[in-house]
Amino acid sequence: MQKRKRSRPYWLLIVAILSVSTSSILIRFALTDADPIVIAMYRMALSAFFTAILLAVALKKKPVRFYPGMAGLIFLAGCLLAVHFAVWISSLKYLNVSSSVVLVTTTPIWVALASPILLKEKPGPKIAIGLCIAILGGLIIALGARCQFIGLQFRCGTAEGVNPHQTLGYFLALVGAWAAAGYMLIGRKLSQKIETLPYTLGVYSVACAVLLIFAVVQKLPLTGFSNKTWFALLGLGLIPQILGHTVLNFSLRKFSALTVSMALLGEPIGSTLLASLFLREMPSAFELAGGIVILTGVVLVVWFQSHSNAVSPTGQLTLPDDV
């Protein structure tokens, strides 16, 4: 019985990673007749709704306190989160699931680079090693857009042979990582002043409002989707958000932030496996090799950042909790 109780948190962690990994698959299903901005808007709306329920329960135990200047930062974080979802979901129109998820998972690298400037945190010089390795992985993936193995020969095409849509997908996924990094830096800055639930509710609500405004201005359809798309949108709010990140936050009571962060790096692996099963989508040799190299660099950044005391003192995840 004791062994079962001890192993239970690990099973919860596995369930959470598998749940988070469904995000890109559900998005692909929704993209059949819904625009990326609309998909992002509905996901934020559902996330805000579920967070509001959790906050209503929590408010009975502890009131929420706000400080001057906090509203502006929450608004900025919400805008960055809206950009993150809009561009990352858009990248899934042009890239394999594996490449898109791996590139957007580089967020900790950009957080580590920006922290000395914005938060006056000084990560150790070893983080540069992880950055260089991740950049090498990105170059390998980019090389795959022009080169291929034909038999035993390695051939590269001309610049005209580069797929412009694939290049756009790479750029959108990276912009998604940069926006998520900004969102996380603001969260780290406010982590000592506001509890997680009211902060995330504010951020999700702002992101939802911003995305809704963009959708209305562009006259994007908000209804009239197939049942498959509606189920996918509902699934985005329930599976990756509730069964995924809510359980991950619960896991922080049993594991260190470093352990949970490292576990969350399993999302690209889970997403790739699910894409191969449900979408019949297999990464190329270059995408697979580049993804492994990038994740190695991210692991080193998270590890060195943790041991240089650059991890948030509140035990927040060192990866975005919304992918």
Side-chain angles (χ1 to χ4, degrees):
M1 290 295 292
Q2 289 183 346
K3 289 184 178 180
R4 288 184 179 180
K5 289 182 179 180
R6 291 177 181 176
S7 63
R8 191 174 300 168
Y10 290 96
W11 283 110
L12 287 175
L13 203 56
I14 292 172
V15 168
I17 298 305
L18 289 175
S19 298
V20 169
S21 300
T22 64
S23 180
S24 53
I25 309 299
L26 291 169
I27 288 170
R28 271 293 182 82
F29 290 151
L31 280 171
T32 55
D33 56 356
D35 187 87
I37 292 179
V38 175
I39 295 173
M41 186 273 293
Y42 274 113
R43 176 167 180 175
M44 287 292 90
L46 288 168
S47 299
F49 174 74
F50 292 129
T51 303
I53 294 175
L54 294 174
L55 181 59
V57 175
L59 283 177
K60 296 179 180 180
K61 301 178 181 179
K62 187 177 181 180
V64 177
R65 293 184 297 174
F66 287 93
Y67 296 87
M70 189 178 297
L73 288 175
I74 290 176
F75 177 78
L76 178 59
C79 291
L80 288 171
L81 191 59
V83 172
H84 161 72
F85 273 117
V87 297
W88 174 60
I89 292 175
S90 296
S91 75
L92 286 167
K93 295 172 62 177
Y94 309 110
L95 293 180
N96 285 338
V97 167
S98 58
S99 295
S100 177
V101 176
V102 163
L103 288 173
V104 84
T105 307
T106 59
T107 297
I109 293 175
W110 313 115
V111 171
L113 287 175
S115 291
I117 301 172
L118 300 178
L119 298 180
K120 307 303 180 183
E121 295 177 351
K122 296 181 179 180
K126 293 180 179 179
I127 288 180
I129 299 174
L131 174 62
C132 291
I133 292 174
I135 290 175
L136 175 62
L139 292 175
I140 293 173
I141 291 179
L143 191 65
R146 294 184 54 190
C147 305
Q148 59 181 328
F149 286 100
I150 302 177
L152 297 178
Q153 294 183 339
F154 179 68
R155 296 181 181 179
C156 292
T158 60
E160 289 77 10
V162 176
N163 186 337
H165 296 294
Q166 193 174 35
T167 303
L168 175 61
Y170 292 147
F171 176 72
L172 290 172
L174 279 176
V175 172
W178 298 336
Y183 160 67
M184 285 208 61
L185 287 167
I186 294 175
R188 184 177 293 178
K189 187 176 183 65
L190 292 178
S191 61
Q192 295 296 300
K193 298 180 179 181
I194 187 172
E195 297 292 332
T196 301
L197 283 177
Y199 170 72
T200 53
L201 177 59
V203 169
Y204 291 166
S205 300
V206 170
C208 178
V210 170
L211 291 165
L212 179 60
I213 291 172
F214 272 100
V216 171
V217 170
Q218 296 184 38
K219 298 181 179 179
L220 300 175
L222 301 178
T223 58
F225 306 133
S226 64
N227 290 335
K228 177 182 176 182
T229 297
W230 284 119
F231 279 120
L233 292 173
L234 180 61
L236 280 170
L238 290 174
I239 301 175
Q241 202 68 34
I242 301 301
L243 291 179
H245 293 292
T246 300
V247 174
L248 280 173
N249 287 327
F250 172 78
S251 298
L252 286 169
R253 299 178 181 180
K254 304 291 182 180
F255 302 103
S256 67
L258 177 61
T259 299
V260 177
S261 298
M262 290 295 190
L264 195 51
L265 288 173
E267 180 187 354
I269 300 173
S271 296
T272 301
L273 292 174
L274 290 174
S276 65
L277 287 173
F278 294 101
L279 302 176
R280 304 299 180 188
E281 183 180 287
M282 293 296 295
S284 67
F286 283 99
E287 290 171 332
L288 186 61
I292 292 173
V293 174
I294 287 176
L295 288 179
T296 300
V298 175
V299 166
L300 290 175
V301 168
V302 173
W303 179 267
F304 291 140
Q305 194 178 36
S306 172
H307 288 274
S308 63
N309 296 321
V311 175
S312 170
T314 60
Q316 294 287 333
L317 298 180
T318 54
L319 292 172
D321 63 346
D322 39 62
V323 172

